[in-house]
Amino acid sequence: MTGDEGLRLEVAGPHGTAVLGGLFESSWPGLFLAGLLTAPSYGPSMRFVFGAGYTAPRLVRGVRRRLRGGKAPVAA
C-alpha cells in the first residue's frame, strides 16, 4: 500500500468519500479540503464557484485555528 492509498483510507468515510468537519478539515488532522471533494458532505453547490463564498471563510478559520495549535471541530 502506498502512502496515497493509506491516506485515502484514513480520510474516507462510510461511503468512501471524505468526511469533513464544520471548518472543512478532514479526519486527517491538518488536511483541509475544498471544491468537488466537499460535495458529499456539503451538497452539490460545492462543485461550483458558487460554493467558494461559503467555503473560503470557514476553511481559512479552520487553518488559522490549526496553525495556532488548536483543533478544528471533528467530523461527525
Side-chain angles (χ1 to χ4, degrees):
M1 178 178 340
T2 68
D4 292 344
E5 291 169 348
L7 176 59
R8 195 173 308 124
L9 291 172
E10 287 285 330
V11 173
H15 300 290
T17 60
V19 178
L20 304 175
L23 299 177
F24 291 85
E25 186 171 19
S26 71
S27 56
W28 188 278
L31 177 62
F32 292 83
L33 303 173
L36 183 59
L37 296 172
T38 66
S41 293
Y42 285 93
S45 66
M46 296 298 131
R47 295 178 180 162
F48 305 98
V49 173
F50 174 79
Y54 178 83
T55 304
R58 288 162 180 81
L59 191 144
V60 168
R61 194 173 330 135
V63 169
R64 285 182 176 159
R65 183 180 291 174
R66 177 61 62 184
L67 289 174
R68 285 192 307 266
K71 293 184 179 178
V74 177

